Amino acid sequence: MLHFDVLIVGSGLAGMTLALHLAEHRKVGLITKKNLLEGSSTYAQGGIAAVLDDQDSVEAHIQDTLVAGAGLCNPQTTRFIVEHSRAAIDWLIELGVPFTRDGDDSDGVSYQGFHLTREGGHSHRRIIHAADATGEAVTTTLGRKVCAHPNITVLEDHIAIDLITSAKLGETGKRCYGVYALDKLLDEVETITAHHTILASGGAGKVYLYTTNPDTATGDGIAMGWRAGCRVSNMEFIQFHPTCLYHPHAKSFLITEAVRGEGGILRLPDGTRFMPEHDPRGELAPRDVVARAIDFEMKKHGLDCVYLDISYKPASFIQEHFPNIYAHCLDLGIDITQEPIPVVPAVHFTCGGLVTDLNGQTDVENLFAVGEVACTGLHGANRLASNSLLECMVIGRAAAENILKTELASIPPIPDWDDSKVTDPDEEVVLSHNWDELRRSMWDYVGIVRTSKRLERAQRRIDLLKEEINEYYQHFHVSNDLIELRNLVDTAELIVRSATLRRESRGLHYSRDYPDMLGEAVDTVLTPANY
């Protein structure tokens, strides 16, 4: 049995922000499914939105966020996060994150000598970035700090199975005491207790067939929190990034929003530009608008993809601003300085999640959720580009400050994981089959455009799959694939149930049966039946 003052599940920007803000005063454990830097934060390309330039304003950033969120953003949350944006960036600069320096093309818009770019939905240049690999630059810098801190213990190759709660111990109330986690290298389940537990495990992109997310994004924290008694909100709002590289040898490679922000044009195969016909903002419209426009054009013309063209810009500009995209595409035989990039929409971000307050507190005492796993109300019905990393830092710091003000609660005796009544699986084909069927069903029936009939079909398949998966879970030893599949099917059900309840089209949720947006914006909130 392991014990920490604070246990953090997930090692992305949210998890590492918490760890570094807590470690001076608390013994921190941080568990991660693979290695420390393997997660969605590392793969973030575009940058971090913040009010940094004197010509920009908090009110403008708030307004842009509210417009993108289609009336569903929480105004208090939005203001809190935007007002703390500059402090978050200053903290990263102080830690030594190598953001891109100002250049000749900045139009005089910079912050402390760092270049600011613009992305879809933003009315100003306010995105601070490290070329086109911001996430990697940020997480690598923070990762070095985390590994060097004596009060932080990093447990790699550990996947949380379930939260240890008062309900599991037969107690009254709703409290969390840690997690049971599988050490994948030793193939042993460990009991890890903590006075405070934070879910910072990211989103659920892998519930869909095509996604820009890494393989770790399997909705673990959302599913565990739901099973522990937490409410979830707005799970129907799944953001499809408009521009994922379309190539048989490119897996989940994102073409950052900043390509369009710096002048990239979306074209049909014959070179025709189509975005102005869908929205007056053209390529700078919010992601949901652009994704639906691409989906419409692909279906209308029977296309496998459309094309994002920035080749009219000087080659030196492209190589300087998008060095990683340029190099990756060139490896695949695509010279983006000479030809357009084939792109398709793919699942990118989970806007909903576990309901929390501005301190990251969930409905379960001593359990917090920060980052993509949580629903603070910032993103509403559609996340504004580059607001996600900002949310990780601002809410992460607020959660840390709240935890440091709280006394360490007592922990009752915790039983070890009991697997005495299960056996090794006789065959694992059921896992791979159910994994594929679930993700394909979600893609086919709960995608960019939805109907009531499609949602009903998805729910029927999920019901059958959930029954099979739970039966498998009850009879066989846990494995990484089984744990992830169990979490995926729970998360898929939450998405479908939420989408079924929303009888309108708003933001990322578009229904052919309910194409109009209602006058009142209301959150979709699900509460576990057994609480």
Side-chain angles (χ1 to χ4, degrees), residues 50-275:
V51 180
L52 303 172
D53 178 58
D54 290 340
Q55 302 301 312
D56 197 4
S57 69
V58 167
E59 298 304 324
H61 190 172
I62 289 173
Q63 185 60 28
D64 291 344
T65 302
L66 297 178
V67 170
L72 208 59
C73 301
N74 182 302
Q76 179 186 3
T77 299
T78 305
R79 179 168 295 278
F80 177 81
I81 291 174
V82 171
E83 286 181 343
H84 288 82
S85 62
R86 180 173 294 197
I89 299 302
D90 287 343
W91 180 66
L92 292 181
I93 293 173
E94 182 182 338
L95 291 179
V97 174
F99 290 117
T100 295
R101 288 286 174 179
D102 195 13
D104 296 335
D105 63 304
S106 68
D107 299 327
V109 182
S110 64
Y111 178 67
Q112 295 187 20
F114 295 110
H115 179 260
L116 301 179
T117 189
R118 183 181 175 191
E119 296 180 349
H122 289 275
S123 57
H124 291 77
R125 284 182 173 264
R126 64 168 68 102
I127 315 300
I128 191 167
H129 62 103
D132 59 348
T134 305
E136 183 179 5
V138 171
T139 57
T140 299
T141 302
L142 269 61
R144 286 196 292 264
K145 303 287 185 181
V146 165
C147 292
H149 204 291
N151 272 355
I152 302 175
T153 300
V154 178
L155 300 173
E156 296 184 322
D157 294 302
H158 280 64
I159 179 171
I161 303 170
D162 251 334
L163 296 164
I164 302 171
T165 61
S166 51
K168 284 187 171 63
L169 303 179
E171 296 181 350
T172 58
K174 292 167 66 172
R175 291 178 296 278
C176 180
Y177 301 115
V179 304
Y180 290 113
L182 175 67
D183 182 333
K184 296 194 289 184
L185 298 182
L186 297 178
D187 195 27
E188 294 179 352
V189 176
E190 293 182 340
T191 305
I192 308 177
T193 60
H195 300 286
H196 295 94
T197 302
I198 298 112
L199 296 171
S201 51
K206 294 297 286 186
V207 78
Y208 283 88
L209 189 61
Y210 301 112
T211 177
T212 64
N213 293 177
D215 290 342
T216 53
T218 51
D220 302 332
I222 295 170
M224 285 192 297
W226 170 257
R227 293 194 294 264
C230 296
R231 290 171 299 154
V232 299
S233 180
N234 294 342
M235 286 296 295
E236 68 271 35
F237 298 117
I238 302 295
Q239 187 174 71
F240 287 75
H241 197 287
T243 54
C244 184
L245 178 63
Y246 179 75
H247 191 280
H249 302 301
K251 180 184 178 183
S252 306
F253 189 77
L254 174 68
I255 305 299
T256 174
E257 192 95 4
V259 173
R260 287 183 286 121
E262 294 294 342
I265 296 172
L266 284 164
R267 302 185 187 276
L268 298 175
D270 64 1
T272 302
R273 184 185 183 192
F274 60 85
M275 272 310 302

Side-chain angles (χ1 to χ4, degrees), residues 401-416:
E401 292 174 352
N402 182 264
I403 288 169
L404 292 174
K405 295 176 184 176
T406 308
E407 293 184 6
L408 300 180
S410 61
I411 298 177
I414 306 296
D416 285 333

Side-chain angles (χ1 to χ4, degrees), residues 265 267 307-311 334-336 338-342:
I265 296 172
R267 302 185 187 276
Y307 293 87
L308 180 59
D309 185 14
I310 198 167
S311 62
I334 305 168
D335 184 350
I336 68 173
Q338 301 293 323
E339 57 188 314
I341 308 166

Side-chain angles (χ1 to χ4, degrees), residues 9-30:
V9 181
S11 62
L13 180 55
M16 288 198 282
T17 296
L18 276 152
L20 291 172
H21 282 301
L22 288 165
E24 293 302 312
H25 306 282
R26 294 287 188 270
K27 181 183 177 184
V28 178
L30 190 154

